[in-house]
Amino acid sequence: MLQEISSIKDLQNESKRIARLKSNRKLDPAIIKSKQDSMKKFGLLTVGIIVDGNKAIEQGLEIEDFETGETITSENAGQYVVLVEGNHRYAAHLELMKEDPDYKFDFNVMYLNENIPIAKALAEINICTKPWGTKQISLGAETILSTKAPTLLREINNLIKEGYSLNASALWLTFNTKINKSVIENALKGDVSSILDNNSGVARGKKILEAAKSKFGEDSCKSRTLPTWIATQYHKTLDEEIPNFCNKMVSFINNLDEVAAKTITKAKGIRGGKTKETIINEELNKNWESYNAQN
């Protein structure tokens, strides 16, 4: 249940400031722009949902100032209300307030019923009432688990915030596809799989990813193709050679010549012919075989 509606302006007149959940998804400029276009015409059609800053801290959630990104502690949490639903709409509202002198609408919010735990409400809002996508479920799981969130989940979400899919993120950091929607949905409900507790490959994956970003650019790394190919080579590696796999793969990537790198980054599928993925895999396989023959 939700309580009575207030306006942000009224809350600010009461010296309240606005915060957001720290691990919420990164604000998307394209979504903000679409919200601005709608709100210019109609104002806010759906209210935001807020909780008191102190309540969020007491429930183990990390919060930050909405505009500055400053981390909010228990010492100053009482100065804040936390926007748990409506972040893109509020970002659009702030932009319109700054840029459009004709924009006169208020931003209205409701307090969440204080008897409902924030984590449970967040899950209900974004899974049952208004379904989240896979990325948002993963970020939401970290929010709800808070300080108990596994390192691997946090690292996956760091990549998700940069635009990687859940699948691509998990492939880079684990070299497998075991972390799927079902695993993170369960984590959102507090049932953390042992798969998420295994962070032994994180440092290895991040090191290879940094080399790949340097050679191919980050956009190429956000696709599943590169990490899938690397994971395949990992699983083909003999047990006694596994400890050196990371250094070997980084060396291979760093030593790819400009022609090979360009073939991979500029690959395009051919109608009725090879797919983009096939072209990339063939180029990588050819160079991997050559590299292994020389080393």
Side-chain angles (χ1 to χ4, degrees), residues 134-145:
T134 306
K135 291 182 179 182
Q136 287 69 50
I137 293 172
S138 187
L139 294 168
E142 181 182 339
T143 298
I144 287 172
L145 293 169

Side-chain angles (χ1 to χ4, degrees), residues 71 109 139 199 240 280:
T71 298
V109 293
L139 294 168
N199 60 11
E240 61 268 25
I280 292 172

Side-chain angles (χ1 to χ4, degrees), residues 5-294:
I5 295 175
S6 304
S7 75
I8 289 290
K9 187 181 296 183
D10 290 339
L11 292 169
Q12 290 172 332
N13 287 338
E14 297 171 7
S15 299
K16 291 289 186 181
R17 301 173 67 180
I18 312 303
R20 68 193 299 265
L21 295 172
K22 198 167 186 178
S23 58
N24 251 355
R25 61 175 170 164
K26 188 176 181 180
L27 294 173
D28 186 329
I31 297 176
I32 293 172
K33 177 63 169 59
S34 70
K35 299 296 184 186
Q36 284 180 281
D37 293 342
S38 172
M39 291 167 68
K40 276 182 183 181
K41 298 176 183 177
F42 307 111
L44 186 69
L45 297 178
T46 307
V47 300
I49 300 175
I50 58 173
V51 297
D52 284 323
N54 281 329
K55 182 177 180 181
I57 295 291
E58 287 168 4
Q59 294 187 23
L61 300 173
E62 295 177 292
I63 60 175
E64 63 186 15
D65 187 284
F66 196 98
E67 297 187 61
T68 68
E70 175 190 358
T71 298
I72 309 305
T73 67
S74 57
E75 294 178 356
N76 58 350
Q79 302 171 26
Y80 285 85
V81 293
V82 184
L83 191 62
V84 297
E85 164 65 10
N87 283 248
H88 280 96
R89 279 169 279 154
Y90 186 59
H93 173 77
L94 291 177
E95 291 297 319
L96 288 169
M97 291 290 289
K98 293 175 185 175
E99 300 172 0
D100 189 343
D102 295 324
Y103 179 76
K104 305 296 183 183
F105 294 104
D106 286 336
F107 191 93
N108 294 323
V109 293
M110 284 180 168
Y111 272 101
L112 187 70
N113 186 304
E114 63 181 15
N115 295 320
I116 302 176
I118 299 168
K120 284 189 176 180
L122 194 64
E124 185 70 18
I125 290 167
N126 291 295
I127 292 182
C128 302
T129 308
K130 180 184 174 184
W132 263 345
T134 306
K135 291 182 179 182
Q136 287 69 50
I137 293 172
S138 187
L139 294 168
E142 181 182 339
T143 298
I144 287 172
L145 293 169
S146 188
T147 56
K148 296 180 181 178
T151 297
L152 178 55
L153 178 62
R154 292 181 182 275
E155 293 290 353
I156 285 172
N157 282 341
N158 285 339
L159 293 181
I160 284 176
K161 290 173 185 177
E162 296 303 319
Y164 292 72
S165 67
L166 172 68
N167 286 334
S169 301
L171 275 165
W172 278 115
L173 299 175
T174 68
F175 290 171
N176 64 59
T177 55
K178 293 179 181 178
I179 298 175
N180 53 30
K181 186 177 180 181
S182 176
V183 170
I184 58 170
E185 281 182 340
N186 286 337
L188 186 65
K189 299 171 185 175
D191 179 13
V192 180
S193 168
S194 59
I195 297 170
L196 285 171
D197 284 327
N198 184 2
N199 60 11
S200 59
V202 168
R204 169 201 66 197
K206 289 172 70 175
K207 185 175 180 179
I208 296 174
L209 175 56
E210 286 305 310
K213 286 195 291 186
S214 178
K215 179 64 67 171
F216 307 117
E218 189 158 34
D219 284 346
S220 294
C221 295
K222 290 177 181 178
S223 164
R224 289 185 52 176
T225 305
L226 278 172
T228 297
W229 181 85
I230 292 169
T232 299
Q233 308 320 309
Y234 176 81
H235 291 293
K236 288 180 179 178
T237 301
L238 298 174
D239 289 347
E240 61 268 25
E241 296 175 2
I242 286 291
N244 193 46
F245 179 82
C246 177
N247 290 335
K248 182 179 179 180
M249 184 56 68
V250 168
S251 174
F252 164 70
I253 292 170
N254 287 338
N255 283 284
L256 275 174
D257 62 34
E258 186 176 339
V259 174
K262 188 173 182 180
T263 299
I264 291 164
T265 56
K266 302 297 183 181
K268 292 183 179 179
I270 302 169
R271 182 177 294 180
K274 295 178 180 178
T275 65
K276 176 179 178 179
E277 184 176 8
T278 297
I279 294 169
I280 292 172
N281 283 330
E282 287 181 350
E283 187 67 24
L284 287 166
N285 287 333
K286 178 182 70 176
N287 283 275
W288 182 243
E289 289 174 9
S290 175
Y291 176 86
N292 284 323
Q294 297 172 23

